[in-house]
Amino acid sequence: MMYGVFFVLLWTFAHAAISLDLEEKFHQLHENYIQFKDKVLAELKEKDQQYKALTAKVNQLEIKLQQQESLTMATQSEPSAGHNSTKVLRQATVKVPTSCLDVYINGQTTNMATPLSGIYLIMGPKFVETVFCDFTKLITDPSSQRWIGYADIKSAPIYFYVQRNTPFTATNIPIPFQIERVNIGGAMDLPSGKFTAPRDGTYFFSFAGLAQFPNSTSKVHLKIALYFNGAYVGTSECAETNTAGHSSTLTLQLTLNLQKGVQVWLQIWAITAGVSLWDSRYNHTHFTGWILQEEIANSLL
């Protein structure tokens, strides 16, 4: 009986010793794992920092290379050697920016601090555009320039509003005007009735008038057309039958893309005898227009 008890006690102590040994080994393995993980994470962090530093250096070198190429080309194309070289290089390279790269190079060329990432204006194919430049990325990375929208910039204000105060019946000639309410930019010539576009761009025009009809049992009408460099682009007509000497209104609105120098005017296209584009001191005839959007790129040529 005593041998049995002794054996049980011996087995219990041995089992406890083995358990303690295994627990200690497990604890040691856990500690080793934590140390190894921390070491690996530290090395990865260090490598990541090194990668970012190298990427920034490559970015700077690439920008300087592109800048140097621009400066070299500008120097080679400069005919005079008697000017101050720094001034010549700046004049040759500082230009209206057409990209975030130009924004960066212009800043470097004029000895300004490296531009910060942000919103900038650049010259697009026709209009000034708003973009976001991310200078934390490689300047050649397409994602470093993000388009936002167009900037409504005009080199000069252009708008007019003119009127008549007498009847008009002549056909095949521009309708002249007598009263100038507004003519900013001087593009509207009242005696000739012609508007001459001073800039490339998109323009809006609006006309309103009053047709005076005589007593008639047959159909009478008045048709007004807007002409664009000699060809009509839109008409407005009012017609009546069995009239008793009353009047009728007519209107016309158009939006046109015009190049600099193109002329726009109104004229009577068709009119029945006895009918007139009526006007008096109350000014029933109105012609107005303005530039909606200028193709600003052409204004800088």
Side-chain angles (χ1 to χ4, degrees), residues 162 175-177 180 183 186-196 263:
V162 295
I175 298 173
F177 294 88
E180 179 182 278
N183 192 13
M188 181 63 193
D189 182 65
L190 275 70
S192 70
K194 293 184 177 182
F195 171 87
T196 304
Q263 292 186 318

Side-chain angles (χ1 to χ4, degrees), residues 39-237:
K39 181 180 179 181
V40 170
L41 291 176
E43 290 178 351
L44 288 174
K45 184 177 180 180
E46 183 180 359
K47 295 293 184 184
D48 183 62
Q49 292 174 347
Q50 292 176 354
Y51 171 76
K52 289 180 178 179
L54 287 173
T55 300
K57 288 182 179 179
V58 170
N59 192 7
Q60 294 293 328
L61 289 173
E62 188 169 349
I63 292 171
K64 287 182 179 180
L65 177 61
Q66 293 170 341
Q67 178 184 357
Q68 189 60 44
E69 289 177 351
S70 299
L71 295 177
T72 301
M73 292 176 62
T75 304
Q76 291 174 348
S77 62
E78 182 62 41
S80 175
H83 296 82
N84 180 275
S85 60
T86 302
K87 183 178 180 181
V88 170
L89 291 179
R90 289 185 180 180
Q91 288 177 343
T93 57
V94 177
K95 60 179 182 179
V96 177
T98 59
S99 65
C100 290
L101 173 60
D102 285 347
V103 172
Y104 188 94
I105 291 177
N106 284 354
Q108 295 293 301
T109 305
T110 53
N111 292 329
M112 295 172 60
T114 301
L116 299 176
S117 297
I119 295 175
Y120 292 88
L121 296 179
I122 65 170
M123 179 55 66
K126 292 185 177 181
F127 310 113
V128 175
E129 300 177 4
T130 306
V131 298
F132 177 79
C133 297
D134 186 356
F135 292 119
T136 63
K137 298 180 179 180
L138 283 171
I139 201 65
T140 54
D141 184 347
S143 65
S144 67
Q145 178 173 310
R146 189 160 67 247
W147 190 83
I148 296 176
Y150 292 108
D152 186 15
I153 295 178
K154 301 177 180 65
S155 61
I158 304 168
Y159 49 93
F160 72 92
Y161 171 39
V162 295
Q163 298 173 320
R164 288 188 55 80
N165 56 14
T166 59
F168 189 77
T169 59
T171 59
N172 301 319
I173 63 170
I175 298 173
F177 294 88
Q178 295 106 359
I179 301 172
E180 179 182 278
R181 299 297 185 185
V182 178
N183 192 13
I184 302 301
M188 181 63 193
D189 182 65
L190 275 70
S192 70
K194 293 184 177 182
F195 171 87
T196 304
R199 299 284 190 275
D200 291 5
T202 303
Y203 293 77
F204 173 79
F205 298 96
S206 178
F207 164 80
L210 184 68
Q212 182 68 43
F213 297 121
N215 295 328
S216 176
T217 57
S218 60
K219 180 180 179 180
V220 292
H221 71 283
L222 172 64
K223 182 180 288 189
I224 301 290
L226 186 137
Y227 282 73
F228 165 27
N229 260 11
Y232 82 91
V233 291
T235 62
S236 180
E237 180 180 16

Side-chain angles (χ1 to χ4, degrees), residues 1-15:
M1 182 68 177
M2 291 183 60
Y3 286 108
V5 173
F6 177 76
F7 178 78
V8 170
L9 290 174
L10 181 62
W11 182 85
T12 302
F13 290 144
H15 185 271

